[in-house]
Amino acid sequence: MAERDLQLFKKPTMLAFKNRLVKKRDIERVQRYGQAYFSGSVVLKILKNDLRQMRIGFVVGTRVSKKATERNRIKRQLREFFRPAMTTSRKYLDILVLVKQQKEEKVKKEKLIQDVQNTLEKAKLLTKNSN
């Protein structure tokens, strides 16, 4: 294999474990006490943490799609959107991204990313010129 082909295998496909919001009690804490921002099919809950790093979690329920493959696809798309921000941000926050169903229509990637950008702008975590 060529060196260029080997680099494809080195590309990270997931967020680092330290940047994931996975424990049930942490997710519940952010959901209960976090400040909420809405836009379209996305709800963003944000809460400061003391861990000196940003953590993020994604919740895509069965109301969005009964198929796990579609819910996982949405989470992968969101992870790809947030990955660059994880390395550059100096804000120490726990962020919970909740995707909700909108009027019996499928969630499309372009609309989803646009909704996330709008909610981040409302939360003053992203400027219109970023990304």
Side-chain angles (χ1 to χ4, degrees):
M1 277 190 186
E3 186 176 329
R4 183 178 55 87
D5 294 335
L6 290 175
Q7 289 176 351
L8 295 175
F9 293 111
K10 294 179 184 178
K11 184 177 180 183
T13 57
M14 295 184 69
L15 292 174
F17 189 75
K18 65 180 183 177
N19 295 121
R20 293 187 225 161
L21 194 60
V22 291
K23 291 185 180 177
K24 184 177 179 179
R25 70 168 195 243
D26 291 337
I27 292 172
E28 288 175 348
R29 182 177 54 84
V30 174
Q31 193 151 9
R32 185 172 187 170
Y33 300 111
Q35 188 170 2
Y37 300 93
F38 304 90
S39 179
S41 61
V42 175
V43 177
L44 214 63
K45 295 264 189 160
I46 299 173
L47 188 65
K48 289 184 181 178
N49 69 31
D50 301 332
L51 301 175
R52 311 287 290 163
Q53 62 201 9
M54 182 185 287
R55 296 188 304 173
I56 189 162
F58 304 98
V59 177
V60 182
T62 54
R63 288 185 179 180
V64 174
S65 175
K66 298 277 187 216
K67 297 180 181 178
T69 54
E70 289 181 18
R71 295 192 306 270
N72 291 337
R73 178 183 50 81
I74 291 169
K75 289 184 224 177
R76 280 193 307 271
Q77 291 169 349
L78 289 170
R79 265 187 236 115
E80 284 300 316
F81 175 79
F82 277 98
R83 184 173 290 122
M86 301 299 282
T87 57
T88 60
S89 179
R90 296 285 177 230
K91 296 184 179 181
Y92 306 123
L93 303 169
D94 287 340
I95 300 173
L96 188 62
V97 180
L98 301 123
V99 180
K100 58 183 182 171
Q101 184 66 24
Q102 285 288 47
K103 299 179 186 173
E104 301 299 322
E105 60 187 46
K106 274 191 168 183
V107 178
K108 295 191 169 109
K109 182 179 179 180
E110 298 81 24
K111 176 82 169 98
L112 181 67
I113 297 302
Q114 185 62 42
D115 288 345
V116 171
Q117 286 177 336
N118 289 342
T119 53
L120 288 171
E121 287 171 9
K122 287 180 182 179
K124 295 186 173 102
L125 296 177
L126 180 72
T127 61
K128 290 194 183 257
N129 297 331
S130 298
N131 263 3

